[in-house]
């Protein structure tokens, strides 16, 4: 019944009957624990907690596809195929769904591993979260599948389900996701699989990877995948000529608007596996496949009003409220206007008819105004002079286009600072996600980050608040029950083990990002050394300029911030750099400054950067005359390459970097 409902979309019993059967199964599993099955449908609700995601190297790289934006480019691709092979061939066309790529591993018919694409060479193991997707088989149907194989696909969130999900977030005073893809990506990296289970994820499969013989073509393999219980979209089609391919692309450009999922193009593949193998791959993409990208969809709608959002640093962002319009499969109601300069450039007026498009099919943006429809006597929209949240007079950064609210007690600034503090690369308290910060702040439990470490069980158990939608039409009650409370307290306690550089980044010092925090922690070793450092001492450190130095000094000169730092110190957070046991006695990269750019074959960029730091070197983000090396992988930015050549900075490959390390150690 699960298969019929979620894969075939053809249920034969009512939802109530399904729920009763599932409840009966749960009771049977409790009564007979000796028959526990990790692949039971009851496991779809999740329950496990993953504190860290392990890295897994793909059996075959998950390569990117070359893109085509015109029929001429599609025909040129076909001409290259003709020149490369001396036999007849056919193509398979598939819709390109806009989601998150996933690799699923099955052994003896059971799901054993789910891995994100990552950098294409390896990704994160997210098996427990993947298990909660109801359309994904934990146990395969039939017996003709390989003993062990991998199948790749796209995890997606249906558009209607995404909109309903976002409405719930807004009701709960949570920040809505920008689009279904962002919501999907965020869901797969959540720590609690029970939370993932509540999100409306789906999974569409598009490639079987196996060393076992069984089928000779891609189309044949996907027909088998359907029989095994996988959701393969019905649009997949075998095309004997390039004209058939073009007809498929043109046909679906219109029909894709009726699909429940976001799509941004069509993938065209050579069908025969032996021909795929003969054509091979470049370092970036397969020669036997190409992705046709549909042009960004445009629409015209009316500008109703402009809101102003205040961020963590006080930066004020204008947001256009639009008359709802369907664009690339989603209903667009809002679009960022970025800053006052953009508003002036567009010369926006209330009730203007504006052109909206999605950049890369993702982010809505206003691209122009239809002046012939402009109302008479309309006036340009003035940028606000006072904060929309606290009524403080706004300031404008002389070096940037942004206005900002200088009031550090402004509620969005405080909540933003707390959300930054608990984020993954900072204190990593993921159990406080899903709008719980908003609830704790609104109830007066926390008013700054140090308050987190004073929370007691009795303070928050059964804490609840009703949230209404912006138009007041819906109300949702948020309540913290025992499991959530225990997870929150455990997450806060475990955050005390985070390293000094993470704590420093979590403080939210203006201009001190993740990399700068690492540089400061490595150089100064303790918070006290940073607090007492002068401007000259700070700017003597590579990558620390005058602006960053002044920001650091101003932060620690503020009595309120120092009180928070001291409370965090007393709570047991790490304010000193600890010497890792695995650090070698020799530092062959000492005093070297190295830029790492692109993607790599043997290691992730983060692993190379970690090795540099472990061996005494400094990771820097931009190239200067003081840079020792540029370690260049695939997709290294051309600007970085050009600057390195201009300044005479040695450009080395991954293999050359490894050789330098091996020779030195």
């Amino acid at each position: 019944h699960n298969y019929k409902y979620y894969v075939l979309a053809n249920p034969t019993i009512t939802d109530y009957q399904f729920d009763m059967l599932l409840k009966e199964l749960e009771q049977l599993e409790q009564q007979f624990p000796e028959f526990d099955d990790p692949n039971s449908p009851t496991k779809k609700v999740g329950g496990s907690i993953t504190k860290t995601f392990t890295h897994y190297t793909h059996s075959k790289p998950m390569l990117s596809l070359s893109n085509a934006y015109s029929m001429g480019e599609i025909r040129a691709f076909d001409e290259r195929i003709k020149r490369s092979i001396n036999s007849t061939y056919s193509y398979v066309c598939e819709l390109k769904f806009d989601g998150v790529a996933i690799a699923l591993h099955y052994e003896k018919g059971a799901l054993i591993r789910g891995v994100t694409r990552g950098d294409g060479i390896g990704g994160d193991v997210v098996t427990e979260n993947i298990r909660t997707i109801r359309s994904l088989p934990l146990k395969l149907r039939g017996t003709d599948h390989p003993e062990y194989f991998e199948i790749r696909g796209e995890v997606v969130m249906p558009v209607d389900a995404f909109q309903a999900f976002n409405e719930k977030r807004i009701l709960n005073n949570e920040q809505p996701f920008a689009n279904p893809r962002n919501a999907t990506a965020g869901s797969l990296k959540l720590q609690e699989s029970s939370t993932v289970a509540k999100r409306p994820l789906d999974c569409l499969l598009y490639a079987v990877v196996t060393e076992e013989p069984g089928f000779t073509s891609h189309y044949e393999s996907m027909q088998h995948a359907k029989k095994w219980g996988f959701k393969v979209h019905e649009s997949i089609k075998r095309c004997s000529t390039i004209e058939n391919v073009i007809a498929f692309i043109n046909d679906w450009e219109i029909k894709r608007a009726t699909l429940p999922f976001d799509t941004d193009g069509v993938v065209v593949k050579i069908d025969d596996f032996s021909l795929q193998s003969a054509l091979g791959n470049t370092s970036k993409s397969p020669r036997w496949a190409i992705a046709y990208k549909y042009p960004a969809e445009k629409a015209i709608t009316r500008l109703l009003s402009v809101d102003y959002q205040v961020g963590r640093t006080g930066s004020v962002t204008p947001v256009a409220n639009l008359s709802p319009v369907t664009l690339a499969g989603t209903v667009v109601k809002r679009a960022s206007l970025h800053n006052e300069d953009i508003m002036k450039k567009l010369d926006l007026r209330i009730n203007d008819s504006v052109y909206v498009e999605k950049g890369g099919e993702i982010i809505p943006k206003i691209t122009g105004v239809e002046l012939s429809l402009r109302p008479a006597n309309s006036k340009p929209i003035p940028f606000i002079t006072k904060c929309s949240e606290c009524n403080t007079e706004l300031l404008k950064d002389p070096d940037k286009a942004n206005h900002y609210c200088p009031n550090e007690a402004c509620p969005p600034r405080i909540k933003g600072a707390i959300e930054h503090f608990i984020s993954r690369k900072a204190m990593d308290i993921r159990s406080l996600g899903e709008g719980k910060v908003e609830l704790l702040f609104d109830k007066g439990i926390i008013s700054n980050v140090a308050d987190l470490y004073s929370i007691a069980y009795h303070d928050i158990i059964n804490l609840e608040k009703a949230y209404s939608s912006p138009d007041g039409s819906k109300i949702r009650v948020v309540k913290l029950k025992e499991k959530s409370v225990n997870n929150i307290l455990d997450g806060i306690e475990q955050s005390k083990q985070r390293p000094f550089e993470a704590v420093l980044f979590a403080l939210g010092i203006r201009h001190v990002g993740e990399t700068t925090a690492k540089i400061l922690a490595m150089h100064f070793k303790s918070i006290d050394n940073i607090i007492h450092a002068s401007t000259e001492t700070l700017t003597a450190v590579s990558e620390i300029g005058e602006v960053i130095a002044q920001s650091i000094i101003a932060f620690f000169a503020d009595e309120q911030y120092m009180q928070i730092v001291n409370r965090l110190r007393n709570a047991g957070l790490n304010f000193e750099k600890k010497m890792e046991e695995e650090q070698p006695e020799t530092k062959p990269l000492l005093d070297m400054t190295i830029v790492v750019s692109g993607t790599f074959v043997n290691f992730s960029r983060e692993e190379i950067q970690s090795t540099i730091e472990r061996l005494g070197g400094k990771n820097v983000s931009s190239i200067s005359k003081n840079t020792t090396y540029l370690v260049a992988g695939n997709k290294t930015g051309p600007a970085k390459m050009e600057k390195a050549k201009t300044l005479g900075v040695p450009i080395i490959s991954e293999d050359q970097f490894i050789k330098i390390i091996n020779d030195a150690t």
Side-chain angles (χ1 to χ4, degrees):
H1 288 298
N2 190 84
Y3 171 71
K4 288 178 180 178
Y5 187 93
Y6 291 105
V7 179
L8 300 182
N10 185 30
T12 55
I13 61 174
T14 66
D15 289 354
Y16 176 79
Q17 289 172 310
F18 182 93
D19 291 342
M20 290 301 100
L21 285 172
L22 191 64
K23 188 173 182 180
E24 182 184 355
L25 178 57
E26 289 173 344
Q27 293 170 345
L28 286 167
E29 288 178 339
Q30 291 173 2
Q31 189 177 352
F32 302 101
E34 65 271 25
F35 298 119
D36 179 65
D37 182 356
N39 297 312
S40 165
T42 62
K43 302 300 189 290
K44 293 284 187 182
V45 298
S48 63
I49 296 177
T50 306
K51 293 299 179 186
T52 57
F53 295 98
T54 57
H55 189 268
Y56 186 88
T57 302
H58 299 303
S59 58
K60 294 182 180 178
M62 296 182 74
L63 300 173
S64 301
L65 293 173
S66 298
N67 291 327
Y69 297 93
S70 68
M71 295 310 169
E73 289 175 285
I74 290 293
R75 287 193 171 91
F77 167 72
D78 183 55
E79 289 299 321
R80 290 195 297 272
I81 297 294
K82 283 180 183 176
R83 291 195 297 269
S84 300
I85 55 180
N86 298 314
S87 60
T88 58
Y89 56 89
S90 60
Y91 292 110
V92 171
C93 290
E94 299 164 310
L95 290 175
K96 187 175 182 294
F97 292 103
D98 190 17
V100 177
I102 197 79
L104 306 168
H105 299 244
Y106 284 80
E107 188 170 25
K108 296 180 180 178
L111 176 68
I112 61 168
R113 189 182 302 110
V115 188
T116 61
R117 182 184 181 277
D119 61 3
I121 304 302
D124 290 329
V125 177
V126 291
T127 313
E128 296 309 312
N129 289 345
I130 285 294
R131 283 178 174 275
T132 67
I133 300 176
R134 297 188 180 272
S135 62
L136 194 67
L138 303 180
K139 195 82 174 177
L140 299 183
R141 304 169 67 83
T143 58
D144 65 336
H145 44 73
E147 180 80 0
Y148 174 87
F149 73 98
E150 178 184 339
I151 187 165
R152 295 175 176 179
E154 205 85 358
V155 181
V156 296
M157 190 177 286
V159 174
D160 288 348
F162 165 73
Q163 290 173 347
F165 174 60
N166 252 358
E167 285 178 7
K168 288 181 180 179
R169 291 183 69 85
I170 293 169
L171 281 173
N172 195 27
N173 277 13
E174 299 173 75
Q175 182 70 27
F177 284 101
N179 52 71
R181 190 186 187 286
N182 282 7
T184 301
S187 300
L188 290 183
K189 298 305 290 290
L190 289 171
Q191 285 187 317
E192 297 183 52
S193 60
S194 58
T195 303
V196 183
K198 296 174 185 175
R199 299 196 170 182
L201 300 179
D202 206 339
C203 191
L204 300 160
L205 288 307
Y206 55 67
V208 175
V209 180
T210 178
E211 298 297 330
E212 296 184 34
F215 17 77
T216 60
S217 74
H218 172 68
Y219 186 82
E220 183 186 357
S221 72
M222 297 317 297
Q223 299 310 307
H224 277 80
K226 283 185 185 179
K227 295 177 184 177
W228 301 336
F230 293 108
K231 194 168 186 175
V232 177
H233 197 261
E234 60 186 14
S235 60
I236 183 172
K237 185 176 181 180
R238 187 182 263 158
C239 297
S240 57
T241 69
I242 198 63
E243 295 307 321
N244 295 148
V245 169
I246 290 171
F248 180 95
I249 292 171
N250 290 333
D251 186 36
W252 276 101
E253 183 170 12
I254 299 171
K255 289 187 351 187
R256 70 191 181 109
T258 65
L259 294 172
F261 311 105
D262 278 346
T263 61
D264 59 3
V266 170
V267 177
V268 182
K269 303 176 182 177
I270 287 290
D271 186 28
D272 190 289
F273 282 150
S274 63
L275 293 180
Q276 287 185 9
S277 180
L279 289 165
N281 309 312
T282 68
S283 60
K284 298 179 181 179
S285 57
R287 293 188 177 92
W288 44 268
I290 196 168
Y292 176 83
K293 303 296 288 289
Y294 288 119
E297 187 179 335
K298 294 183 180 180
I300 190 167
T301 188
R302 195 158 56 92
L303 174 61
L304 303 177
S305 62
V306 175
D307 290 338
Y308 296 85
Q309 296 179 343
V310 183
R312 171 177 67 88
T313 62
S315 181
V316 177
T317 303
V319 178
N321 294 307
L322 307 168
S323 182
V325 60
T326 301
L327 194 60
T330 59
V331 176
V332 173
K333 300 178 183 178
R334 289 160 69 81
S336 174
L337 294 170
H338 302 290
N339 54 55
E340 183 184 24
D341 290 352
I342 297 293
M343 290 176 63
K344 285 182 176 178
K345 183 178 179 181
L346 290 167
D347 186 28
L348 292 175
R349 320 280 179 96
I350 297 299
N351 289 323
D352 264 349
S353 294
V354 295
Y355 291 100
V356 185
E357 70 175 52
K358 280 191 174 183
E361 298 277 346
I362 297 175
I363 302 171
K365 62 180 179 181
I366 294 175
T367 58
V369 177
E370 180 50 63
L371 296 176
S372 65
L373 298 176
R374 171 167 281 172
N377 303 318
S378 64
K379 296 180 180 180
I381 301 170
F383 202 90
I384 57 173
T385 58
K386 293 185 177 181
C387 177
S388 56
E389 297 285 343
C390 68
N391 210 36
T392 300
E393 197 79 26
L394 296 181
L395 301 178
K396 188 171 184 180
D397 192 325
D399 299 321
K400 297 181 181 178
N402 292 74
H403 288 75
Y404 67 93
C405 172
N407 177 18
E408 292 171 0
C410 185
R413 291 196 63 175
I414 296 173
K415 285 183 279 189
I418 297 171
E419 287 165 355
H420 168 76
F421 185 84
I422 68 170
S423 63
R424 184 171 64 88
K425 292 184 177 180
M427 300 310 292
D428 198 24
I429 312 175
R430 300 189 204 183
S431 53
L432 269 173
E434 296 291 299
K436 297 183 182 76
V437 165
E438 185 92 15
L439 177 62
L440 296 177
F441 179 85
D442 290 346
K443 285 293 185 178
I445 303 298
I446 56 175
S447 60
N448 59 57
V449 297
D451 288 341
L452 292 169
Y453 296 90
S454 301
I455 295 174
Y457 180 90
H458 60 81
D459 291 331
I460 59 175
I461 186 66
N462 294 325
L463 197 69
E464 64 177 283
K465 182 176 178 179
Y467 289 95
S468 61
S469 61
D471 60 5
S473 62
K474 297 180 181 179
I475 295 177
R476 185 186 181 196
V477 176
V478 180
K479 185 174 182 178
L480 295 182
K481 297 183 180 180
E482 184 175 6
K483 184 177 179 181
S484 291
V485 170
N486 287 331
N487 287 339
I488 288 170
L489 296 176
D490 287 346
I492 290 171
E493 186 62 30
Q494 289 171 14
S495 73
K496 295 177 183 179
Q497 305 305 314
R498 294 288 287 163
F500 174 38
E501 56 264 31
V503 179
L504 191 58
F505 173 56
L507 292 178
I509 303 170
R510 191 173 177 84
H511 304 305
V512 176
E514 183 191 4
T515 300
T516 303
K518 284 183 178 180
I519 292 169
L520 289 167
M522 186 73 71
H523 183 87
F524 289 99
K525 310 299 183 188
S526 76
I527 193 76
D528 290 323
N529 290 339
I530 297 174
I531 290 171
H532 296 113
S534 65
T535 302
E536 292 74 19
T537 306
L538 287 165
T539 54
V541 180
S542 176
E543 292 284 290
I544 308 299
E546 184 81 20
V547 173
I548 296 175
Q550 290 299 327
S551 180
I552 293 168
I553 289 172
F555 181 89
F556 291 113
D558 189 303
E559 186 178 343
Q560 286 185 319
Y561 286 140
M562 280 304 300
Q563 287 178 356
I564 290 172
V565 168
N566 289 329
R567 287 181 62 194
L568 293 175
R569 192 200 300 262
N570 293 335
L573 274 64
N574 288 321
F575 280 108
E576 290 186 4
K577 181 74 175 171
K578 295 181 178 179
M579 295 298 294
E580 292 82 4
E581 292 181 2
E582 70 271 14
Q583 281 192 324
E585 292 183 5
T586 58
K587 303 279 189 178
L589 302 183
L590 192 63
D591 296 329
M592 292 187 185
T593 58
I594 300 174
V595 175
V596 182
S597 181
T599 59
F600 301 90
V601 176
N602 299 297
F603 303 97
S604 69
R605 188 189 307 184
E606 289 74 19
E607 287 172 324
I608 292 177
Q609 290 173 329
S610 177
T611 300
I612 291 168
E613 291 176 0
R614 186 169 57 85
L615 298 177
K618 295 177 184 176
N619 286 298
V620 294
S621 57
S622 58
I623 295 170
S624 70
K625 61 181 181 181
N626 297 320
T627 304
T628 310
Y629 294 116
L630 167 61
V631 183
N634 295 326
K635 298 184 180 179
T636 294
K640 274 193 171 68
M641 295 287 282
E642 185 62 33
K643 190 169 184 180
K645 291 174 183 175
T646 301
L647 296 176
V649 173
I651 302 171
I652 60 174
S653 66
E654 179 183 7
D655 290 340
Q656 289 171 313
F657 174 75
I658 294 169
K659 186 175 186 303
I660 289 171
I661 298 300
N662 290 338
D663 290 347
T665 56

